[in-house]
Every structure is written in structure tokens, then in C-alpha cells.
Amino acid sequence: MDRAREPLDEGPGFGGEPVIKTLEELLNLPDVKQHISEENSKRIENHLAGKSEASSIQRALQGIGAWLSAIFFLGFLGVSGLLRSDASMLTLGVILLGASVGLERGLRSTFVTQLALALAIAGNCLAVVGFTELTDADLGTGILAHGVIGSVVYVFHTNSTYRFLAAAMLSLFAQVWILESSSKFWMFHVYVAVHVALIGWLFFRGTDRTELRPLATAAVIMLPYSMVVLAWRQSWSYRTLEIEHLLLPSNAIIVIGLALLLRHVVREQGWFRRRSNQVVLLGLIALGVFTTPGVLVAIGLLALGRACSIGWVTALAHAFLVAFIFQYYHSLDIDLSYKSLVLAGSGLLLLVVRRFLVTKAGPHNSS
Amino acid sequence: MRPTVHALEELHREGLLSDEAFDAARESLPAVDQGSRADWGRGLLLVYGSVLLLAGVVFHFAFNWQGMSKFAKFGVVEFALAACVACAWRKGFETFTGQVLMVGASIMTGVLLAVFGQIYQTGADPYELFLGWSALIFGFVVTSQLAGHWFLWLVLLNIGLFLRWEQAGVPAEVAYEWSCLQLGALNGLALAAREWCPARGQSWLGSAWLRPMLVSGVLIPMTFPLAHCVVEADDITLLRGVIGMAWFGLAGGLYWWYRDKLPDINVIGLVIFNTAVILLIFIGDVLLEPLNWDSGWLLAISIASLAVMSGSGMWIGRVSRLMKARDSEVNP
């Protein structure tokens, strides 16, 4: 019996052409290779090797070691009685930060780099807590203090792990402060706008600014995380029409960001004039209005991870997409029977769209 | 690294690609990128669409549970199961759609077992459900030849073995170390299969992501008895001591195999990290705690954490350089 085979499921490639799966294979194509000198070929090889798995593992170990060390060191300071007052906390924090920057810029070894990172983490915590306690400030002022301290140290401290942690913690604290009460909820849209702009600019315009890459990484992780927190808080404390209405500005910001991202990825002139792309855009707007903005964020990250070939971003996007879809259906104010119909209907809709796309692609046509 | 415009732009910006090379590579890119982008998009729609549909079916079933007769309950689930298998056969078991349908059939098998247990009140323990489920879907796994499906099957087996110790072993005062040994052995066999089968025509088992997952599945259960030995050195049972010692052979074996025979820096990283954790527990509990330093213990363990992790990082860097040097000798 003949079995229907979809073009997607054919063996490698479309129309018998070999599939090029890696950047190295692309650069080895005759048309390309003739323009690359022997010397540049070696340099490209070294450049790609520099983004190796070993360096990622080393950075992860560095981060874990520094975190552990900082926690135990802070515990030591607390138990030993060295921190006699809020002023001493602030002073010691600043000293540790200074020492960290000095070590980072001075000696170069794995141990010293990790020590510098641990001192930076411990110093940052001490300085912020010391300042907040000394001035008897509220959470907002404490966040501002962290922002100032983190920004200054960011400029001088070259360790990408510290830079990422400083940015991520600032985002986390800001989110906690904003969601503290509904009177500050309007700031959440500013928060979303800043993160969307940072992600867009840093991944597509400012890619030569390697010192800002930790900032981009923090934005990619904290934006969907804040959506998860907001969605779950909504489900048990804010579940009113008023709050849903207030989310529309964030939805709009994310839709615009996603549309610009897709346009950049597709890279066609007059992207918005094509009928099929207008349908995609309308679909995205509908998705943003009728579900949670988190779904749009996750889709955006999927597209970003795919376009920039960053595996961890794609994996993170999948995890968050599942979380947002689960949260959305869980929070629907209907009984399980209707929910199951909505779920099954959504699944069928996606499968129908897929079937349509496969049919449109034709048996050996990838366009 | 995937061939994308972003990657080419980065190389061009770094001065590694001339304008002509960049333009030539960019022109070759659409045929590569667009096709793979369409593939990827359709694959996502298939997976998420199937998951949502399946979830809807399961929840609908759960909602109407009380009102359905037992024949209706069995009928719905068995129909869904049969439909998945039939559609997979129609599409072709080797196609991605067919494979996803076979995963669906595996899920429906689990639902069928749960329904069976509920209707007939067999009194079976949950571990029996998981082990039975794994046994019944083995045929589906082999037919679909999908690495993710096989991994799901392994997860079910692991859960079944763990629950077996928890529900049957604990009341009978069976040591938890037996559970650790069983889990380590199971995942070790799976790892061996992953390495052995692709060379014998089963390339579907050769997915790169499987290896570090399986190595973790071997190392983690075998680490607990050793850590227990370190923390409670005055209360070591024979079994715990033997497994603890076996860890050394296991870690050493994995290190040697994946450094020299099948070079894989991710596995080396896992082994080294596992070793670092054991070393830190040893330093904290055996070397430092007897000194009764109070706060000094915290400072010492802080320094030890730095030393151990930075040493591990240096070790990984050294192994990576060795692997690259060896690789360039073999492939000049």
C-alpha cells in the first residue's frame, strides 16, 4: 500500500540537494571558500573553537564555585561578628568590590578569576544590604542602590558571570518591587518595554558590543520569568477584568517587538505588505490578546534562538512556552470539560495549519 | 554551529570573512536556511499540536470519568490507541509524524493501564503501573526508532524502579543502596546500548543529547551511597561501602573511555563536576568539621569551594586541549 509521505519526512534535503547543516560546511562550499584565505580559514576555525563546549562548562563551574564560596563567606562574616554595624557592612562591601575589580584586572588565573567573582558577589550583597539598613530605606531605594552599584562595577569588572548576575538581580528586584502592589502596576509595561528593547537591540544591532552580551542574556531569561510570576500571581490574587485590561500595553509592546524580530529574521523588503505575513501578524496579535503575553514572549525567544543559533535560548523558550500554555489553560474560568475541548481544538488548529503549510510547500519545494 | 545570517555577520564583523566571502555565503544561505526554517516551524506545529490534542483528550476523559460506563472508558482509550498506531502505519513509522503518533500510542497505553486499575480496583501499586507500562510500550519504542521516545521509556523504567524500592522495599527494610545500584545499572546498560547500537545500523540511538543525560543517570544514583559513606563514616554498611568504592571505578572508567576512546568533553565535564562535589563533601565533613572552628569552618569551606571548582575548570581546559591536539593529529 502506498503510504502518504510528506515533504518534511523525505530523507535528507529537498529535491535531492545535499543539506548543509553546519556553518563549517557552508564556508567550505566552493563559491565561498575561494574568497577565504588560508590564514583566515585558520582564524575562523579558532574563533569557532573558542565558542567551545569546554569554555561553557568552565564558565558554569566558575559560576557555581563563586556562588558557593560567596554564600559561605557571607555566612562566615555574619557568624564571626565582623559585621558589627550597617556602616561596617557597607564599608566592607565596597572594599570587597574594589578588591574584586583589582584582582580581575590584575592577575590572570582560574583561581583568581573565581576569587574575584566570589568577592564581587559577596561585596555587592553587603554593600546593598548595608546601604539599605543604614539609610532605613524601602525596597525601591535598595533596588536603586543595587542599580547604581551594579552599574558602576559593571563598567570596571570584566567578568561576564558577574555582569550577568548583577543585571539579572536588578531585573528580579525591580519585578518584585513593581508587583508588590497594584498601584505600581503601570511600571510593569516600562519593565517589559525595556527588556524587549534590550533584547532586540543587543541581539541584532549591538552584537559587536561584547561587554553588553551578559545584559542581553539576563534580559532573555528575566523577561519570560517575570511573565511566569505575573501569570501565577494573577491566577490567585489579581484575577479581575481590570488587571487583564491593564495588560494590553505589554501585549502591544511584545507584539511590536515580535513583528520586528520576525521581519529581521525573514529579511525581506516590504515584509508587512505580503498577505501571508499580514495573516501571521494578525494571528500573533490575536494570540497576545486572547492568551497571556508570556506565550508571545516564548514564541519570540523561539524565533530568536533559532535565528541566532543559540541552543539554550531555544531550550528556555520551549520550557517557558509549555509553562505559559499550562498556566493559561489552568486559569481559564470554565469547567474541565470545556477546557478539554479548547485544548483539543487548539491542538487540531495547529495540526491543520501544519497540514496547510505542508500542502502549500509541495512535494519537493521548500518555499 | 548552525549556518545563519547572524553567525555570518559575526564573522564578517570580526574581520574573518571578506566582503566577497560574506556575500557568497549569504547568497548560499537562503536555500539552506529557508528550507530548514520551514522544517523547524512545521515540526514545532506538529509536536505542540499533538501535545495539546492529546492533553485535551486526556482531560475530557478525566472530566467525564464518573459518568461513563466501563465499556465506554475502555472503548475511548483503546480506540485512541488503535487510531494512533493505524495512522502511524499509514504515514510510515519512519516519518516524523508516524513517530509522534507512536509516542501518542505509548501515552494512551499508560492511560489504559490507569483506567484498568481504577475500574477493576486491582490494588496494584503505582510502581507496577510504571513497570507494566514500560514493558507494554517497548514494541512501540523499537518501531518508532525515535531517541526521545526511547528516553521517555527509560524515564518510566527509572520511576518504576525507584517507586518499587519506595513502596515495596522500604516496608521490607531493603537498603536504598539497592535502588541506587539498580538505577545505575539500568542507565549504564542504556548508555552501553547508545554507544554500541549506532555502529550496528541503529543510528536513531546516536543522538548527541542522549549521552550526557545517560551518564548523569549513571553517576547520580551511584554518588549517593559514596556521599553517605563520607558523611557517616562510622556507620558504613558492606553494601554502601562496595557501591561507594564502585563509584571510583565507574568515574575512572567513564573518564578514560570518553577522553581516549569516544572523546566527549561534556561527559568529562560531568565526571569532573561529580568528583568535585564528592571532594567538597569530603573536605567539609571529614577534614574541616573535626577541627571545630565554628565560623572558621565557613571561611575554610568558602576557600575550598573556590579551589576545587577552579581546579576542576583547569582540569577540563587541559583535557579539552589534549583532545583537540589529538584530533588535529588524526585529521590534519
Short mmCIF file of all heavy atoms in Angstrom, two decimals, chain B residues 270-294:
data_model
loop_
_atom_site.label_atom_id
_atom_site.label_comp_id
_atom_site.label_asym_id
_atom_site.label_seq_id
_atom_site.Cartn_x
_atom_site.Cartn_y
_atom_site.Cartn_z
N LEU B 270 30.95 16.37 33.21
CA LEU B 270 30.05 15.80 34.20
C LEU B 270 30.82 14.98 35.24
O LEU B 270 30.56 15.07 36.44
CB LEU B 270 29.01 14.90 33.52
CG LEU B 270 27.86 15.61 32.82
CD1 LEU B 270 27.04 14.62 32.00
CD2 LEU B 270 26.95 16.32 33.81
N VAL B 271 31.75 14.16 34.76
CA VAL B 271 32.53 13.32 35.68
C VAL B 271 33.36 14.21 36.61
O VAL B 271 33.41 13.96 37.83
CB VAL B 271 33.45 12.36 34.88
CG1 VAL B 271 34.39 11.62 35.81
CG2 VAL B 271 32.61 11.37 34.08
N ILE B 272 33.98 15.21 36.06
CA ILE B 272 34.82 16.10 36.88
C ILE B 272 33.96 16.87 37.89
O ILE B 272 34.35 17.02 39.06
CB ILE B 272 35.63 17.06 35.98
CG1 ILE B 272 36.70 16.28 35.22
CG2 ILE B 272 36.26 18.19 36.79
CD1 ILE B 272 37.48 17.08 34.21
N PHE B 273 32.80 17.34 37.47
CA PHE B 273 31.92 18.06 38.39
C PHE B 273 31.44 17.14 39.51
O PHE B 273 31.41 17.52 40.69
CB PHE B 273 30.71 18.61 37.63
CG PHE B 273 29.71 19.32 38.51
CD1 PHE B 273 30.04 20.50 39.14
CD2 PHE B 273 28.45 18.78 38.73
CE1 PHE B 273 29.14 21.15 39.98
CE2 PHE B 273 27.54 19.42 39.55
CZ PHE B 273 27.88 20.61 40.18
N ASN B 274 31.10 15.90 39.16
CA ASN B 274 30.68 14.92 40.15
C ASN B 274 31.79 14.68 41.17
O ASN B 274 31.56 14.61 42.38
CB ASN B 274 30.30 13.63 39.42
CG ASN B 274 29.52 12.66 40.27
OD1 ASN B 274 29.83 11.48 40.32
ND2 ASN B 274 28.52 13.14 40.96
N THR B 275 33.02 14.56 40.66
CA THR B 275 34.18 14.36 41.52
C THR B 275 34.38 15.57 42.44
O THR B 275 34.68 15.41 43.64
CB THR B 275 35.45 14.15 40.67
OG1 THR B 275 35.21 13.13 39.71
CG2 THR B 275 36.64 13.79 41.53
N ALA B 276 34.19 16.76 41.89
CA ALA B 276 34.36 17.98 42.68
C ALA B 276 33.36 18.02 43.84
O ALA B 276 33.70 18.42 44.96
CB ALA B 276 34.19 19.20 41.78
N VAL B 277 32.13 17.62 43.57
CA VAL B 277 31.10 17.62 44.62
C VAL B 277 31.49 16.66 45.75
O VAL B 277 31.42 17.01 46.93
CB VAL B 277 29.73 17.23 44.02
CG1 VAL B 277 28.72 16.93 45.11
CG2 VAL B 277 29.22 18.33 43.11
N ILE B 278 31.93 15.46 45.38
CA ILE B 278 32.34 14.47 46.38
C ILE B 278 33.52 15.01 47.19
O ILE B 278 33.58 14.89 48.43
CB ILE B 278 32.73 13.13 45.71
CG1 ILE B 278 31.50 12.50 45.07
CG2 ILE B 278 33.38 12.18 46.70
CD1 ILE B 278 30.48 11.98 46.03
N LEU B 279 34.45 15.63 46.48
CA LEU B 279 35.64 16.18 47.14
C LEU B 279 35.26 17.27 48.13
O LEU B 279 35.79 17.31 49.26
CB LEU B 279 36.59 16.73 46.08
CG LEU B 279 37.97 17.19 46.55
CD1 LEU B 279 38.71 16.04 47.23
CD2 LEU B 279 38.80 17.69 45.36
N LEU B 280 34.34 18.13 47.75
CA LEU B 280 33.89 19.21 48.65
C LEU B 280 33.21 18.63 49.89
O LEU B 280 33.45 19.12 51.02
CB LEU B 280 32.92 20.15 47.93
CG LEU B 280 33.57 21.29 47.15
CD1 LEU B 280 32.51 22.07 46.39
CD2 LEU B 280 34.37 22.21 48.06
N ILE B 281 32.40 17.60 49.70
CA ILE B 281 31.74 16.97 50.86
C ILE B 281 32.81 16.36 51.77
O ILE B 281 32.75 16.49 53.00
CB ILE B 281 30.74 15.87 50.39
CG1 ILE B 281 29.59 16.50 49.60
CG2 ILE B 281 30.20 15.09 51.58
CD1 ILE B 281 28.65 15.48 48.97
N PHE B 282 33.80 15.75 51.17
CA PHE B 282 34.89 15.14 51.95
C PHE B 282 35.65 16.21 52.73
O PHE B 282 35.89 16.06 53.94
CB PHE B 282 35.83 14.40 50.99
CG PHE B 282 37.03 13.81 51.67
CD1 PHE B 282 36.92 12.62 52.40
CD2 PHE B 282 38.27 14.41 51.59
CE1 PHE B 282 38.02 12.08 53.04
CE2 PHE B 282 39.38 13.87 52.22
CZ PHE B 282 39.25 12.69 52.94
N ILE B 283 36.00 17.29 52.05
CA ILE B 283 36.76 18.35 52.70
C ILE B 283 35.94 18.95 53.85
O ILE B 283 36.44 19.14 54.96
CB ILE B 283 37.15 19.45 51.69
CG1 ILE B 283 38.19 18.92 50.71
CG2 ILE B 283 37.69 20.70 52.40
CD1 ILE B 283 38.49 19.84 49.55
N GLY B 284 34.68 19.24 53.58
CA GLY B 284 33.85 19.89 54.59
C GLY B 284 33.57 19.00 55.79
O GLY B 284 33.63 19.45 56.93
N ASP B 285 33.30 17.71 55.51
CA ASP B 285 32.84 16.85 56.59
C ASP B 285 33.96 16.09 57.28
O ASP B 285 33.93 15.89 58.49
CB ASP B 285 31.83 15.84 56.01
CG ASP B 285 30.90 15.33 57.07
OD1 ASP B 285 29.98 16.07 57.45
OD2 ASP B 285 31.13 14.20 57.54
N VAL B 286 34.95 15.68 56.55
CA VAL B 286 35.99 14.83 57.12
C VAL B 286 37.21 15.63 57.57
O VAL B 286 37.76 15.39 58.64
CB VAL B 286 36.41 13.75 56.09
CG1 VAL B 286 37.57 12.92 56.62
CG2 VAL B 286 35.22 12.85 55.78
N LEU B 287 37.61 16.61 56.75
CA LEU B 287 38.83 17.34 57.06
C LEU B 287 38.58 18.54 57.98
O LEU B 287 39.35 18.78 58.91
CB LEU B 287 39.50 17.83 55.78
CG LEU B 287 40.07 16.74 54.85
CD1 LEU B 287 40.78 17.37 53.66
CD2 LEU B 287 41.00 15.80 55.61
N LEU B 288 37.52 19.28 57.71
CA LEU B 288 37.34 20.55 58.40
C LEU B 288 36.46 20.46 59.65
O LEU B 288 36.74 21.12 60.65
CB LEU B 288 36.75 21.60 57.44
CG LEU B 288 37.66 22.01 56.27
CD1 LEU B 288 36.93 22.99 55.36
CD2 LEU B 288 38.96 22.62 56.78
N GLU B 289 35.39 19.68 59.59
CA GLU B 289 34.46 19.69 60.71
C GLU B 289 35.10 19.23 62.03
O GLU B 289 34.83 19.84 63.07
CB GLU B 289 33.22 18.84 60.39
CG GLU B 289 32.03 19.26 61.26
CD GLU B 289 30.81 18.40 61.05
OE1 GLU B 289 30.88 17.41 60.28
OE2 GLU B 289 29.80 18.69 61.67
N PRO B 290 35.97 18.21 62.01
CA PRO B 290 36.58 17.78 63.28
C PRO B 290 37.42 18.88 63.95
O PRO B 290 37.73 18.79 65.13
CB PRO B 290 37.47 16.60 62.87
CG PRO B 290 36.89 16.11 61.59
CD PRO B 290 36.37 17.32 60.89
N LEU B 291 37.82 19.90 63.21
CA LEU B 291 38.64 20.96 63.77
C LEU B 291 37.84 21.88 64.70
O LEU B 291 38.42 22.67 65.46
CB LEU B 291 39.28 21.79 62.66
CG LEU B 291 40.23 21.00 61.72
CD1 LEU B 291 40.72 21.89 60.59
CD2 LEU B 291 41.41 20.44 62.50
N ASN B 292 36.50 21.80 64.64
CA ASN B 292 35.64 22.64 65.50
C ASN B 292 35.98 24.11 65.43
O ASN B 292 36.23 24.78 66.43
CB ASN B 292 35.72 22.17 66.97
CG ASN B 292 35.06 20.84 67.16
OD1 ASN B 292 33.98 20.59 66.60
ND2 ASN B 292 35.67 19.96 67.91
N TRP B 293 36.02 24.64 64.21
CA TRP B 293 36.40 26.02 64.02
C TRP B 293 35.25 27.00 64.13
O TRP B 293 35.45 28.19 64.04
CB TRP B 293 37.05 26.19 62.65
CG TRP B 293 38.50 25.88 62.63
CD1 TRP B 293 39.31 25.64 63.70
CD2 TRP B 293 39.32 25.81 61.47
NE1 TRP B 293 40.59 25.40 63.27
CE2 TRP B 293 40.63 25.51 61.90
CE3 TRP B 293 39.09 25.98 60.11
CZ2 TRP B 293 41.69 25.36 61.03
CZ3 TRP B 293 40.14 25.85 59.23
CH2 TRP B 293 41.43 25.54 59.70
N ASP B 294 34.04 26.55 64.26
CA ASP B 294 32.85 27.42 64.24
C ASP B 294 32.83 28.24 62.94
O ASP B 294 32.71 27.70 61.87
CB ASP B 294 32.79 28.31 65.47
CG ASP B 294 32.56 27.49 66.72
OD1 ASP B 294 31.98 26.40 66.60
OD2 ASP B 294 32.97 27.92 67.80
#
